[in-house]
Amino acid sequence: MFDIKVQAKQGVFSRILQMANPGFVLVAVFVPIMALVYAINFGPLVSLNYVHIITGALWTGIDLFMGFVLGPVLGRMDPKERAVVFKHLMPKMTFLMPVIAGVTGTAGLQLTQRLGWSPVNPRILIAFVITGILTIQGFGILLPNEIRIFRELFSDKPDINVISRLGMRNARLGGVQGVLQLAIIFVMASIRF
C-alpha cells in the first residue's frame, strides 16, 4: 500500500512544516532573509552583491538540477516511486525556493537602485522582463502545483498519479527556469563590460 498520508489532526501548515523538517525550514527561510536585511540596512554594497549572487546561484543551480538531472531520473520511475520522492522533496522546495527567489530579486532591485542603473538600460530591462517571467512561473504555476500536491498528500486517498504528474511538471518547469536564469546571468555579466 502506498503510505503517504500525514496525520489529519494537525493543521495544514504544521503538517507541511513537519514534512519539511523544522530545522531545515529555519535555515532555508531565515538565513537568506536575515542576510538580505543585514545587507540592505547595515552592510556595505558588496554584502548586498554577495547576497544577490549567492541566492541567485542557489536558485539557478537547484532549478537546473531539478530540470536536467532529477527530472529525467524521475521520468524513468513508476508513478508510485515518483510520488514518494515528491512527498519528501516538495515540502522543502515549498519553503526554500520562494525565499531564495524573493531574496535574489529584492537584492537585485536594491543593487540596481544603489548603483544608479536605469531601468531603461536595455540589459537591465531584459533582466527585469526575465525576472518577471520567472516570478509568474514560480508563483503562478510552481507554487500552486505544490499546493495541489499537498492537497493530494493530505487527502483520504492520495492519487499517486496526480502527485507524480504535478511533480514532473514542476521538475520540467524548473529546467525552464534554470535556462532563463542562465540568460539573466549572461545579461548581468555583460552590464559592466
Side-chain angles (χ1 to χ4, degrees):
M1 174 70 189
F2 179 67
D3 185 25
I4 202 164
K5 281 187 65 176
V6 179
Q7 271 194 357
K9 293 180 184 178
Q10 298 174 312
V12 172
F13 180 78
S14 63
R15 288 186 275 177
I16 296 169
L17 181 64
Q18 288 305 312
M19 292 171 73
N21 180 334
F24 172 84
V25 172
L26 186 66
V27 171
V29 170
F30 290 109
V31 169
I33 291 173
M34 290 300 110
L36 178 66
V37 167
Y38 167 79
I40 289 173
N41 295 302
F42 309 108
L45 186 60
V46 70
S47 66
L48 187 59
N49 195 39
Y50 277 120
V51 169
H52 179 63
I53 290 170
I54 290 169
T55 55
L58 282 170
W59 184 19
T60 302
I62 291 168
D63 278 340
L64 289 171
F65 176 80
M66 289 293 294
F68 297 105
V69 178
L70 188 60
V73 169
L74 291 170
R76 291 184 189 95
M77 297 170 73
D78 74 52
K80 184 177 179 179
E81 293 169 330
R82 266 188 253 154
V84 171
V85 171
F86 289 125
K87 172 190 173 189
H88 296 286
L89 181 64
M90 285 299 115
K92 288 177 173 35
M93 298 295 280
T94 300
F95 287 100
L96 177 64
M97 297 307 283
V99 170
I100 61 174
V103 168
T104 301
T106 303
L109 184 59
Q110 288 288 316
L111 278 170
T112 301
Q113 291 173 346
R114 288 191 185 180
L115 293 171
W117 290 343
S118 170
V120 294
N121 174 314
R123 291 178 180 150
I124 300 295
L125 188 57
I126 290 169
F128 281 155
V129 167
I130 295 171
T131 301
I133 294 168
L134 290 168
T135 301
I136 290 167
Q137 287 178 341
F139 291 101
I141 301 171
L142 291 167
L143 190 57
N145 281 347
E146 289 174 7
I147 292 167
R148 289 182 195 107
I149 289 171
F150 288 125
R151 283 186 183 154
E152 281 302 318
L153 288 171
F154 301 145
S155 71
D156 290 334
K157 292 186 178 186
D159 186 337
I160 60 173
N161 291 318
V162 169
I163 294 166
S164 176
R165 187 183 78 248
L166 291 171
M168 285 304 298
R169 186 178 299 158
N170 277 12
R172 287 186 196 101
L173 192 54
V176 171
Q177 292 235 314
V179 170
L180 289 171
Q181 290 158 354
L182 289 176
I184 287 179
I185 291 169
F186 176 77
V187 169
M188 299 307 291
S190 67
I191 284 179
R192 293 188 186 199
F193 303 102

